[in-house]
């Protein structure tokens, strides 16, 4: 185990605690936030606000640095286009999110909490990602 | 709009959000990587050489969180009311959608908005719209 691996584990662990503490790992809580026209629970807006309050200065520093603290480059996304893939993909993701109240992180965290329903969701999500990869490989082979 | 004040948990939501921001800040500054969970999981499935170690470790950290939390404190409630068929459909849509969009709530929502990326703002507004619309249809039109 090197420093890079241990550091990534620590980040994943803090992320997991954040999802548990905030209520994001609880699908009923998430659906309460997404139910804008029912009894609306605005809590999750504060999760986003809190995360960005820390993220904003961190990414400002990241943009100015040449290298990461543990070495290697800082990999910031370079894509800028608002294309069909971005918008359609996000819409499909949002529909799935609203169906069960799980997005990727909470699905994995609740699986770690030994919730059978979360394991079912996560296995289906992994299958969806493999279907995406298969479609992408097929397109590359065809062109 | 009708706010459910009994369900509103501003302090734990804000504190949890700060932790999520801290985790994202940690990964970009220490490792030089974006804490985008769909991207990390998708990368792991693509078996990219040189990335497997940190990607696996990050996902392991997510999975280990509840067990380590449980040593010190009772776990918060995790209520899953969706049926298995709904969970399978949701998982497939989330898996395919996040990979096409190259990001989810963490990559676009937290990291992208923190970078003030217009692309991530468009993605976040779109998946939020998808989520609001779906819950509206399921709860208020279908009455499920």
């Amino acid at each position: 185990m090197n420093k890079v691996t241990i550091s990534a584990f620590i980040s994943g662990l803090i992320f997991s605690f954040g999802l548990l503490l905030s209520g994001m790992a609880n699908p009923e809580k998430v659906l309460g936030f997404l139910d804008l026209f029912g009894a609306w629970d605005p809590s999750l807006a504060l999760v986003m606000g809190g995360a960005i309050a820390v993220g904003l200065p961190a990414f400002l520093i990241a943009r100015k640095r040449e290298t990461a603290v543990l070495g290697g480059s800082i990999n910031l996304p370079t894509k800028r286009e608002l294309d069909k893939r971005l918008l359609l993909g996000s819409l499909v993701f949002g529909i799935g999110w609203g169906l069960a109240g799980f997005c990727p992180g909470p699905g994995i965290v609740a699986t770690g909490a030994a919730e059978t329903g979360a394991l079912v969701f996560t296995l289906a999500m992994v299958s969806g990602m493999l279907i995406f990869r298969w479609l992408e490989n097929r397109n590359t082979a065809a062109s | 709009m009708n706010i459910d004040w009994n369900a509103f948990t501003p302090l734990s939501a804000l504190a949890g959000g700060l932790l999520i921001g801290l985790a994202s800040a940690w990964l970009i500054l220490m490792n030089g990587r974006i804490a985008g969970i769909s991207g990390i999981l998708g990368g792991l499935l693509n078996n990219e050489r040189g990335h497997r170690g940190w990607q696996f470790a990050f996902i392991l950290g997510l999975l280990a969180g509840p067990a380590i939390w449980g040593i010190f404190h009772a776990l918060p409630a995790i209520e899953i009311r969706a049926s298995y068929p709904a969970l399978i459909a949701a998982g497939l849509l989330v898996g395919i959608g996040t990979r096409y969009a190259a990001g989810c709530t963490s990559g676009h929502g937290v990291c992208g908005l923190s970078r003030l990326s217009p692309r991530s703002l468009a993605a976040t507004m779109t998946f939020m719209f998808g989520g609001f619309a779906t819950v509206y249809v399921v709860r208020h039109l279908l009455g499920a």
Side-chain angles (χ1 to χ4, degrees):
Chain A
M1 285 257 270
N2 57 24
K3 281 185 206 159
V4 169
T5 316
I6 294 168
S7 170
F9 177 81
I10 292 170
S11 172
L13 196 60
I14 299 173
F15 210 116
S16 189
F17 291 158
L19 289 173
L20 285 166
L21 179 61
S22 64
M24 277 292 291
N26 181 1
E28 270 309 303
K29 182 93 179 157
V30 174
L31 292 174
F33 170 72
L34 291 177
D35 193 3
L36 205 52
F37 302 96
W40 189 51
D41 173 4
S43 308
L44 296 195
L46 290 170
V47 181
M48 200 65 118
I52 293 171
V54 181
L56 208 63
F59 279 95
L60 276 177
I61 298 169
R63 200 178 300 175
K64 294 215 172 94
R65 285 184 64 101
E66 300 278 310
T67 54
V69 174
L70 297 177
S73 55
I74 290 192
N75 298 274
L76 292 170
T78 49
K79 256 192 226 167
R80 305 200 63 86
E81 52 285 60
L82 307 181
D83 49 10
K84 214 165 81 181
R85 287 171 69 97
L86 177 82
L87 299 175
L88 263 180
S90 294
L91 186 65
V92 168
F93 160 43
I95 294 170
W97 191 31
L99 269 184
F102 272 133
C103 55
I108 296 171
V109 171
T111 299
E115 292 287 340
T116 317
L119 176 66
V120 170
F121 168 84
T122 301
L123 290 177
M125 175 173 74
V126 165
S127 310
M129 290 182 171
L130 291 172
I131 291 171
F132 165 81
R133 192 182 66 173
W134 176 73
L135 289 170
E136 289 290 278
N137 288 343
R138 209 184 49 163
N139 284 347
T140 334
S143 60
Chain B
M1 188 176 290
N2 179 10
I3 293 182
D4 185 356
W5 292 109
N6 290 325
F8 188 44
T9 50
L11 283 183
S12 55
L14 193 62
L18 293 174
L19 281 179
I20 292 170
L22 177 67
S24 309
W26 181 292
L27 201 65
I28 194 67
L29 293 173
M30 299 296 280
N31 292 53
R33 302 285 169 192
I34 294 278
I37 295 172
S38 62
I40 293 175
L41 185 60
L44 202 55
L45 296 173
N46 284 345
N47 212 357
E48 294 157 1
R49 195 181 293 222
H51 291 287
R52 276 174 294 198
W54 76 266
Q55 288 173 335
F56 183 74
F58 182 88
I59 300 292
L60 201 64
L62 285 179
L63 281 168
I68 294 175
W69 174 298
I71 297 172
F72 302 100
H73 208 277
L75 274 183
I78 299 178
E79 308 147 89
I80 306 171
R81 301 237 176 98
S83 64
Y84 284 159
L87 286 162
I88 291 170
L92 287 171
L93 293 172
V94 169
I96 295 175
T98 54
R99 294 301 283 146
Y100 267 107
C104 59
T105 343
S106 50
H108 282 311
V110 174
C111 296
L113 293 189
S114 292
R115 292 190 301 111
L116 306 175
S117 153
R119 185 174 140 85
S120 288
L121 178 64
T124 305
M125 282 167 48
T126 310
F127 66 67
M128 299 278 288
F129 168 77
F132 287 134
T134 304
V135 172
Y136 179 73
V137 170
V138 170
R139 289 200 171 172
H140 302 289
L141 294 185
L142 303 174

